[in-house]
Amino acid sequence: MSIETIARRYAVALADVVAERGEALAVQKELLEWGTMISSNSLLRDAFSNPIVPYEQKQKLLSELLTRSRVLPTTASFLKVLLRNQRLSEIGEVNKRFALILDQRAGLVAAEVTTARPISAESVQALQGKLTSVTGKQVRLTFATDQELIGGMIVRVGSTVYDGSVRNQLDQVERQLAGS
């Protein structure tokens, strides 16, 4: 079974719990902080992912971190479940799936926008409006820059990619010229 499938199962179960408790955003925020903490600290990452480290030591470490962080009981319980099932080191993938599920349930769709340089607020609003009309859903935009695009943008909505980059247009011209 793939990590994506496993992460999705955990994320769906957690989404069900937080929905009935009204804690979705708070738990999501806490889990993102935990994911960042674990991924950015090589000692924590190694401790939680290494099968040689005894479960009791991992449990003690997690308990100490939970005491210091004062997270919601739901978050603490979920982290303990991940640890018990040897999935705490995969919290990043679980967080991605959890965010997708929360967005789906809220009628949102995520769009990743890559541009050569940052775009204006007016362009962001125009893009948001266009994507909302294309998808029929509210759109949550995230942005990245890649100077190799030269200009234009690439937008990913789910598995659909809209490539309006200058680099892509130049590649198409090159393929057409090579085919002549």
Side-chain angles (χ1 to χ4, degrees):
M1 194 175 317
S2 73
I3 181 60
E4 291 86 7
T5 303
I6 293 166
R8 188 175 198 310
R9 288 183 179 177
Y10 282 100
V12 167
L14 180 60
D16 292 343
V17 170
V18 297
E20 72 182 37
R21 296 181 183 177
E23 299 175 334
L25 295 178
V27 169
Q28 183 180 26
K29 181 179 180 281
E30 290 176 349
L31 288 176
L32 285 171
E33 290 169 357
W34 272 81
T36 300
M37 179 178 65
I38 291 172
S39 69
S40 65
N41 185 315
S42 62
L43 293 175
L44 285 178
R45 190 176 53 249
D46 293 346
F48 288 126
S49 63
N50 190 336
I52 296 173
V53 176
Y55 173 76
E56 293 75 23
Q57 286 183 354
K58 292 177 184 181
Q59 191 176 25
K60 185 177 179 181
L61 175 59
L62 179 61
S63 293
E64 178 63 32
L65 291 170
L66 287 171
T67 301
R68 290 182 185 188
S69 66
R70 296 191 195 112
V71 296
L72 291 169
T74 305
T75 304
S77 295
F78 186 70
L79 291 168
K80 289 174 185 176
V81 167
L82 289 178
L83 177 66
R84 188 174 332 117
N85 295 317
Q86 300 175 25
R87 299 289 182 196
L88 190 55
S89 61
E90 295 157 3
I91 191 169
E93 189 63 33
V94 172
N95 283 338
K96 285 181 197 173
R97 301 293 168 201
F98 184 55
L100 287 172
I101 290 164
L102 291 179
D103 284 353
Q104 288 171 349
R105 291 182 180 186
L108 291 171
V109 64
E112 299 170 11
V113 181
T114 306
T115 57
R117 55 197 138 289
I119 61 175
S120 68
E122 296 83 25
S123 296
V124 170
Q125 286 181 336
L127 179 61
Q128 181 113 34
K130 182 68 175 173
L131 290 173
T132 297
S133 71
V134 167
T135 63
K137 295 182 178 187
Q138 284 295 333
V139 179
R140 183 175 40 82
L141 299 173
T142 56
F143 291 90
T145 57
D146 178 357
Q147 293 179 351
E148 291 185 17
L149 296 182
I150 304 170
M153 68 179 64
I154 298 173
V155 179
R156 286 180 182 83
V157 181
S159 61
T160 304
V161 177
Y162 303 97
D163 191 340
S165 66
V166 172
R167 181 184 66 198
N168 181 52
Q169 293 169 13
L170 290 172
D171 288 347
Q172 287 178 1
V173 168
E174 183 180 352
R175 283 192 296 273
Q176 287 174 352
L177 291 173
S180 315

